[in-house]
Amino acid sequence: MTGTTHADLIRAGSAVYSHSRWYGVHRAMQAGATDWEIALALRMSISATRERMDRIRATERELAEGR
């Protein structure tokens, strides 16, 4: 083994999963999908979907403001 532990692999997999969810929600928002449509498509709870959408909107606002 090259020094990579099981915990490292789990962290990497978790990061990929999280980024994939973020990207999926973001693309669906751009396409005009509703929160319910996104939740169903990505098998997320409606509250988790809405929270993710709020965080994406906040990030986009910050980027637009040049922060």
Side-chain angles (χ1 to χ4, degrees), residues 34-45:
T34 66
D35 52 359
W36 285 98
E37 292 168 331
I38 295 169
L40 287 172
L42 296 178
R43 300 185 62 130
M44 296 171 66
S45 70

